[in-house]
Amino acid sequence: MRDSSDRTSASVDKLLQELQVERLDAQRRRWLSVGAGSALALLAGASGWGLLLASTPQNSPAISPTGRIGIVSVGSLPESVVRVHADFSASSDEPGSFSIVVSVYPNPAQNLLTSSFKPTIGFLFCGDLREGLTLTEANQGRQPSPTPVAGSTLFDSVVGERAECDYLEITGITSQVALRGSTDTAFASTEGSRVLYAFPGVVAPLLPESINASTALPLPSEAEITVSLRDVPADLQVSQSMPQIPADGQLSWTSTLGSAIPPSEYRLSGVLENAQASASVGLFAAGALVGIAGAAVLWAMEAAIGTIRKSRP
């Protein structure tokens, strides 16, 4: 009788132990399931972020033609040396800005000009450049307003349609005429680390013409026109340029009218290396997070398998 009671007690104790083991095992399984689920969620999120960064295409930036600036002489110039220098801002943080200086120097061989000579220069602002155009006469501080070219059906390949141009005349207080300008037309467009610059050509009509009741004459054939890009980001790596960058590597182009027609537009594309480096850091961080999450999943699976083995009799 006592032996039967002892056996019954032992069976009950064994059953209670097995129930306790199963309860602990079930609890471990629940916690491991939560851990594995969290690790899988982390892996999925990190993988999604990494794939998004890696697969998101960097669209090429786009920019519309910005227009042209024509330079003419109002009235004849004596034998002289004419230099035109225009520079355009490469800043993408502000509307398009530029400056133009037209200098008329005495010809050293003829010396026909005196220090009292004050040229009158005409400016044609054509195309999208006219949007929101504001000008300041640098030597006098005045803000002149160009007026639309009236009654002209003239078109040529240098300036384009005169009906799409505004005209302004400035008489210098010295032998120079200087203008500063800003426009709502952007000269820069960015997409991620990629950047595209487009700025107007500075050109000179080839033939005399009448503009708003003034006689506009071509600049001398020896006149030089130099166009430069300023405020260039230090980390810009140029990949393409039209026209090509000069041999000295400077973003500055000079044309002599008697030898070549100046470009009607300038375009440069490239990469901002600092922005590209930041994108690479983001990709590296995403990859590292994916690796950590993957290791967490493996650890959870190994722990689960180990626990199951230990719980078996």
Side-chain angles (χ1 to χ4, degrees), residues 25 33 74 77 97 103 113 160 190 244 251 280 291:
D25 186 47
S33 177
V74 180
L77 292 175
S97 63
S103 303
L113 295 181
T190 58
Q244 292 185 348
L251 300 182
S280 298

Side-chain angles (χ1 to χ4, degrees), residues 19-304:
L19 290 173
Q20 179 69 12
V21 169
E22 289 182 0
R23 186 180 67 82
L24 293 174
D25 186 47
Q27 187 176 16
R28 291 192 188 98
R29 290 172 185 270
R30 283 196 299 271
W31 282 108
L32 289 171
S33 177
V34 171
S38 299
L40 285 170
L42 180 63
L43 176 62
S47 300
W49 182 39
L51 288 173
L52 179 63
L53 287 175
S55 62
T56 299
Q58 280 217 15
N59 297 324
S60 296
I63 193 167
S64 301
T66 53
R68 302 178 189 182
I69 300 176
I71 311 291
V72 298
S73 170
V74 180
S76 61
L77 292 175
E79 189 74 19
S80 57
V81 176
V82 178
R83 299 285 184 267
V84 179
H85 188 278
D87 62 52
F88 297 86
S89 174
S91 174
S92 59
D93 299 327
E94 60 183 17
S97 63
F98 61 94
S99 65
I100 304 175
V101 178
V102 181
S103 303
V104 181
Y105 302 104
N107 187 321
Q110 303 294 329
N111 196 24
L112 294 178
L113 295 181
T114 68
S115 59
S116 61
F117 180 77
K118 299 178 178 63
T120 298
I121 302 298
F123 299 87
L124 287 160
F125 299 97
C126 307
D128 289 353
L129 179 69
R130 298 175 295 166
E131 296 296 327
L133 180 63
T134 300
L135 300 170
T136 300
E137 190 178 347
N139 291 334
Q140 303 182 54
R142 296 188 299 110
Q143 290 190 318
S145 297
T147 57
V149 174
S152 177
T153 58
L154 181 63
F155 170 85
D156 61 37
S157 59
V158 177
V159 179
E161 291 189 33
R162 301 303 191 271
E164 296 181 356
C165 299
D166 293 346
Y167 182 68
L168 174 68
E169 292 180 3
I170 298 290
T171 299
I173 58 174
T174 66
S175 60
Q176 285 187 335
V177 172
L179 279 177
R180 294 192 303 269
S182 64
T183 172
D184 291 343
T185 300
F187 298 152
S189 175
T190 58
E191 285 285 349
S193 61
R194 299 182 181 181
V195 62
L196 171 65
Y197 298 107
F199 47 102
V202 180
V203 297
L206 302 178
L207 299 172
E209 59 184 279
S210 176
I211 305 177
N212 292 357
S214 292
T215 300
L217 301 177
L219 298 181
S221 59
E222 296 82 8
E224 287 185 356
I225 296 179
T226 299
V227 175
S228 304
L229 191 61
R230 58 176 167 85
D231 304 325
V232 179
D235 62 334
L236 173 64
Q237 183 66 39
V238 177
S239 55
Q240 291 184 334
S241 174
M242 184 183 69
Q244 292 185 348
I245 297 175
D248 61 6
Q250 300 298 311
L251 300 182
S252 181
W253 298 261
T254 298
S255 304
T256 301
L257 295 184
S259 302
I261 296 175
S264 59
E265 186 182 41
Y266 296 81
R267 285 187 173 245
L268 290 92
S269 61
V271 173
L272 299 174
E273 294 183 335
N274 289 345
Q276 190 177 47
S278 298
S280 298
V281 169
L283 284 173
F284 175 80
L289 191 55
V290 170
I292 293 172
V297 170
L298 292 175
W299 171 83
M301 294 177 64
E302 290 175 357

